[in-house]
Amino acid sequence: MDRSGSALEPATVRDHLRERGFRWTPQRRAILEILRSAAGHVTAAELVERCRAVDPEVTPSTVYRTLDVFEELSLVVHSHGPNGRQEFHAVPDDEHAHLACDTCGNTWEVAKDELTSLVDALRRAHGFVASVSHLTISGTCSDCSDRDRQRTALMAPAHTADG
């Protein structure tokens, strides 16, 4: 998924970095290009691997520092998957949360407006303002729930008329 035309345009990022006193390095450009082409979320370890395929000299510390800088500049955001791993993605057009199935491991994005009642209830009850972009709700997806119900129905003892 190419994010050309967005805040991740190389010239825009280069200018952003320089305005804040950061250098525009070949490694940062490689990390940026990989983020621009990533479909969905990517971990720092995956970024390191992809960067090393392009430039074997890229170190994990360079990737982590660059991700910190990009996040400080609001170019990427991170969230935590259900297993706790930190995942990064380019700042989306619309803030969203994630649903993660504990059974099959699939994840889905949930638009912020779908969570309005939950966010409002947390604010009213606790004075807490939730950051939806960091929210991952774990559970069981409909496909896995259906399979579990079918499996349970097949395993249930048969009832007889006399007993």
Side-chain angles (χ1 to χ4, degrees), residues 24-34 45-63 66:
W24 177 240
T25 64
Q27 293 83 6
R28 285 187 173 146
R29 183 177 179 103
I31 294 165
L32 174 68
E33 290 300 332
I34 290 163
E46 291 166 339
L47 276 171
V48 169
E49 202 174 291
R50 293 178 190 182
C51 285
R52 284 189 167 165
V54 174
D55 179 357
E57 301 299 313
V58 172
T59 64
S61 62
T62 298
V63 172
T66 299

Side-chain angles (χ1 to χ4, degrees), residues 105-161:
N106 285 332
T107 60
W108 298 266
E109 292 183 355
V110 180
K112 182 179 181 178
D113 62 348
E114 291 182 75
L115 301 167
T116 301
S117 60
L118 172 63
V119 170
D120 290 346
L122 291 171
R123 186 176 309 128
R124 280 191 309 276
H126 305 283
F128 187 80
V129 179
S131 172
V132 174
S133 65
H134 280 76
L135 180 63
T136 299
I137 300 172
S138 298
T140 306
C141 71
S142 61
D143 288 345
C144 290
S145 291
D146 290 346
R147 273 195 297 277
D148 286 347
R149 275 192 294 280
Q150 290 170 356
R151 193 175 305 122
T152 301
L154 290 173
M155 297 171 80
H159 294 286
T160 61

Side-chain angles (χ1 to χ4, degrees), residues 1-13 31-42 47 50 70 74-77 87-94 96 98 109:
M1 167 198 305
D2 187 2
R3 298 178 189 275
S4 53
S6 74
L8 289 185
E9 277 295 325
T12 303
V13 173
I31 294 165
L32 174 68
E33 290 300 332
I34 290 163
L35 282 168
R36 290 180 80 222
S37 66
H41 303 85
V42 63
L47 276 171
R50 293 178 190 182
F70 284 180
S74 300
L75 300 171
V76 298
V77 293
E87 300 172 336
F88 295 86
H89 60 99
V91 172
D93 293 333
D94 296 313
H96 64 272
H98 302 91
E109 292 183 355

